[in-house]
Amino acid sequence: QVQLEESGGGLVQAGDSLRLSCVASGRTLSRYAVAWYRQTPGKERELVAANNWSDGTTYYPDSMKGRFTLSRDNTKNTVYLQMNSLKPEDTAVYYCAAGDPASVLLPTTAPYWGRGTQVTVSG
């Protein structure tokens, strides 16, 4: 099993940038596909980005293209989410997930999750 821990969240102003980190332990992260999700109260977890370890491709839903960038450093067992030009509607708890390439594309199937980090964007 792999354990995931997010960090880097906080309170920022609209237009700011923030980089989230997700450190894995227990297993080598390079063996997993990874994804970032976000969730606001009363709503389902929403996919922000997903990276397929086998071919290196990263998928962004159309609504997330342009301001979010997923990257990973397998030597540090860490995946990052760079967020630019933040908006108040980006306020959410951000989670990282790991699993096989298909499973991480849905919040109901991704097997491994961190506890999340809160991002609050003030307007």
Side-chain angles (χ1 to χ4, degrees):
Q1 256 189 340
V2 61
Q3 291 80 45
L4 304 172
E5 183 174 1
E6 304 93 338
S7 64
L11 174 63
V12 297
Q13 295 185 342
D16 286 351
S17 296
L18 204 59
R19 189 177 78 160
L20 307 181
S21 300
C22 174
V23 178
S25 60
R27 290 281 182 91
T28 302
L29 192 60
S30 61
R31 305 174 62 137
Y32 295 88
V34 294
W36 282 98
Y37 281 81
R38 68 185 186 184
Q39 188 172 27
T40 54
K43 294 188 177 180
E44 293 184 352
R45 288 188 185 183
E46 179 182 30
L47 179 66
V48 177
N51 175 259
N52 184 343
W53 64 271
S54 63
D55 61 14
T57 58
T58 301
Y59 167 73
Y60 300 91
D62 287 343
S63 59
M64 303 298 175
K65 290 179 180 178
R67 298 187 299 117
F68 298 94
T69 303
L70 183 156
S71 63
R72 61 193 299 170
D73 185 340
N74 289 332
T75 64
K76 296 181 179 180
N77 239 20
T78 302
V79 61
Y80 303 98
L81 182 67
Q82 178 68 40
M83 306 185 293
N84 298 326
S85 302
L86 284 163
K87 305 174 182 180
E89 50 265 43
D90 295 319
T91 295
V93 178
Y94 284 74
Y95 299 89
C96 66
D100 65 68
S103 71
V104 297
L105 293 178
L106 292 174
T108 53
T109 57
Y112 304 113
W113 291 90
R115 294 185 176 181
T117 185
Q118 175 72 47
V119 173
T120 303
V121 185
S122 64

